[in-house]
Amino acid sequence: MKPCNVTEMISSLIDGELSPKDTESVRQHLEDCVICRKEFDALKSVDNLLRDVKPVEPSYDFARGFWKKVDALDARKTKTDARKTKKSLWPIFNDFSWGLRPSLVSAAAVILIAAGTVIFYRSAPPALDPTGMLIAENMALYSDYEIIDNLELFENWEEIIKLDEI
Amino acid sequence: MSPRKSDPDVQLMLCFKDGDEDGFRKLFSKYQTQIINFCFRFCSDRQLAEDLAQEVFLRVYRAAKRYRPKARFSTWIYRIAVNVCLNESRKLKKRYLTQSIDRPFANADDQGNRLPEYQDENQISADGMMASRQREEQIKAALKNLPKQQRVAVVLRIYNEFSYSEIASQMSVSEGKVKTLIFRGRQHLKQTLKGVL
Ligand SMILES: [Zn+2]
């Protein structure tokens, strides 16, 4: 049989989401229409059935597990922050590395100049002195943590240092 | 004073934003059971539900610095819970599958350590218990069978009794859409639960 056009409103009526006027007219319809009354009862039963499912309690280690994850996150963040600082300050302040690893120094220079050149050719207006711009860009690279951090070239530095230590 | 300013949970979250971790601990203990249950009703898997709930609280914890109360705290945390359930449950489930292949007995062990889901079992006769357990399983299966969005809307409405406008905000959809999702969800459940009704 074709359902009445109030079927969707029955669901809203159960949830108390109809305007007073609509509530009144749907209630009136329910008194007159057996099919819709049956629908109303069936949907009410669905709700009651669902509410029969008892809630669960948190397991004994739920909170502990949560704080463990917080600690792990904090540890990862500290490690990342430390790596960021180390990475961005390394070329200037880590004189020890500069002194003992000439191969690394030259590798660093090559990478910095290459990176600087890429940035320069993308962004420099043609009228400026290319050499001056190149130096400026490289100086900016030294001091700007964000740029250095975002340069994928530098992601490999830890690997390069490890190779040098072997 | 706007309702969200007078919401004590918003105040607790603002305390946490100012560095008082006690505010967060109070919110955690107040909401842990209901968020676990929301996730559990969404995924029907006890362990997955707890992992999802932990993810919800991690996001609350990390969001503190950026927190600006625009709604009741409960609306906000459920918005996160909806997001986590809709987007993360599949990823986590995948991880479980890999883990259980790697460590076939780990999950079984874990189950044994958990609290029973049915608390007053000993008060019900064995037969009655079996029947009620079976019915619960049927209901869970019916819920799980619903399309995800319908399931979320139905759970938020029937178990948490949120209004359509709150659910709309939690799900980032219109109120009209919420009305339709709940209506279709109920129709769907009526069909699948025919034998139990
Ligand atoms: Zn009718």
Side-chain angles (χ1 to χ4, degrees):
Chain A
M1 197 180 285
K2 201 166 171 271
C4 302
N5 57 2
V6 301
T7 320
E8 189 165 338
M9 286 168 97
I10 292 173
S11 173
S12 302
L13 177 74
I14 291 173
D15 294 330
E17 294 276 352
L18 288 181
S19 68
K21 191 173 153 242
D22 286 343
T23 305
E24 188 46 43
S25 73
V26 177
R27 282 204 181 281
Q28 189 59 53
H29 181 81
L30 290 182
E31 279 185 24
D32 304 335
C33 175
V34 187
I35 300 165
C36 286
R37 209 159 51 234
K38 269 192 178 165
E39 175 72 4
F40 177 84
D41 291 340
L43 294 188
K44 274 290 228 189
S45 310
V46 167
D47 281 23
N48 292 336
L49 205 58
L50 256 62
R51 290 198 186 99
D52 265 358
V53 179
K54 292 182 196 74
V56 296
E57 288 294 320
S59 62
Y60 75 98
D61 57 352
F62 176 74
R64 203 181 53 191
F66 168 75
W67 288 107
K68 256 172 140 175
K69 286 184 186 175
V70 170
D71 288 346
L73 259 180
D74 284 350
R76 199 170 69 189
K77 196 176 173 294
T78 313
K79 210 173 141 191
T80 314
D81 288 351
R83 210 175 56 206
K84 271 185 196 171
T85 315
K86 188 179 149 200
K87 231 190 271 176
S88 46
L89 295 180
W90 186 84
I92 306 173
F93 297 111
N94 204 341
D95 288 340
F96 186 71
S97 302
W98 282 106
L100 290 187
R101 299 195 177 90
S103 59
L104 268 180
V105 175
S106 41
V110 168
I111 290 170
L112 284 174
I113 289 167
T117 310
V118 168
I119 288 168
F120 164 72
Y121 277 114
R122 279 188 186 163
S123 59
L128 292 175
D129 170 19
T131 321
M133 277 303 294
L134 190 62
I135 293 165
E137 290 288 356
N138 283 334
M139 287 309 288
L141 265 177
Y142 282 126
S143 58
D144 191 335
Y145 297 359
E146 288 305 311
I147 292 179
I148 290 183
D149 200 42
N150 292 329
L151 263 180
E152 280 193 6
L153 285 168
F154 285 85
E155 291 298 325
N156 300 324
W157 271 117
E158 283 182 1
E159 308 295 330
I160 295 173
I161 290 168
K162 271 185 206 145
L163 282 174
D164 205 53
E165 281 166 351
I166 292 170
Chain B
M1 203 190 262
S2 75
R4 58 175 188 262
K5 282 276 164 65
S6 60
D7 178 354
D9 296 340
V10 164
Q11 293 306 318
L12 285 173
M13 191 61 194
L14 288 172
C15 285
F16 178 46
K17 186 184 181 179
D18 288 342
D20 177 10
E21 201 172 88
D22 207 41
F24 177 82
R25 286 181 188 272
K26 282 179 184 150
L27 289 169
F28 183 88
S29 73
K30 179 173 175 182
Y31 282 91
Q32 57 172 343
T33 306
Q34 47 175 303
I35 294 296
I36 291 172
N37 275 287
F38 170 75
C39 298
F40 180 57
R41 280 153 185 159
F42 177 82
C43 70
S44 304
D45 178 315
R46 186 68 196 270
Q47 193 187 341
L48 178 60
E50 294 212 348
D51 276 344
L52 290 169
Q54 283 175 345
E55 179 64 29
V56 172
F57 284 108
L58 273 177
R59 289 184 188 200
V60 171
Y61 190 88
R62 281 185 290 180
K65 278 182 194 152
R66 301 186 305 274
Y67 180 67
R68 275 198 212 102
K70 287 181 189 152
R72 287 201 301 157
F73 178 80
S74 63
T75 304
W76 185 68
I77 193 174
Y78 273 94
R79 196 185 163 107
I80 297 176
V82 166
N83 196 282
V84 166
C85 282
L86 289 177
N87 299 319
E88 304 298 320
S89 55
R90 201 184 304 158
K91 278 186 234 163
L92 279 172
K93 206 153 208 174
K94 219 181 235 172
R95 211 171 67 200
Y96 284 164
L97 285 176
T98 337
Q99 276 177 357
S100 54
I101 292 165
D102 294 345
R103 297 180 293 128
F105 300 109
N107 287 345
D109 255 26
D110 204 32
Q111 286 298 326
N113 283 335
R114 288 176 186 271
L115 285 177
E117 285 166 21
Y118 311 94
Q119 283 134 10
D120 37 1
E121 281 173 351
N122 49 359
Q123 292 161 20
I124 313 169
S125 74
D127 282 356
M129 197 179 84
M130 274 275 280
S132 106
R133 205 167 195 157
Q134 214 169 26
R135 206 174 55 179
E136 283 204 7
E137 289 311 317
Q138 277 172 301
I139 297 166
K140 279 191 222 162
L143 261 176
K144 211 176 168 183
N145 234 327
L146 286 182
K148 279 183 177 182
Q149 289 222 323
Q150 286 181 23
R151 204 185 319 157
V152 166
V154 162
V155 169
L156 287 170
R157 176 60 220 161
I158 294 180
Y159 291 103
N160 298 94
E161 299 189 337
F162 282 115
S163 68
Y164 285 6
S165 98
E166 282 172 308
I167 298 172
S169 161
Q170 287 154 346
M171 297 183 70
S172 308
V173 297
S174 69
E175 273 186 53
K177 171 96 175 171
V178 171
K179 185 173 86 175
T180 309
L181 285 171
I182 294 176
F183 166 68
R184 294 214 177 120
R186 281 193 172 116
Q187 293 290 327
H188 207 128
L189 288 167
K190 191 181 79 177
Q191 288 303 316
T192 32
L193 290 169
K194 227 184 245 165
V196 197
L197 279 172

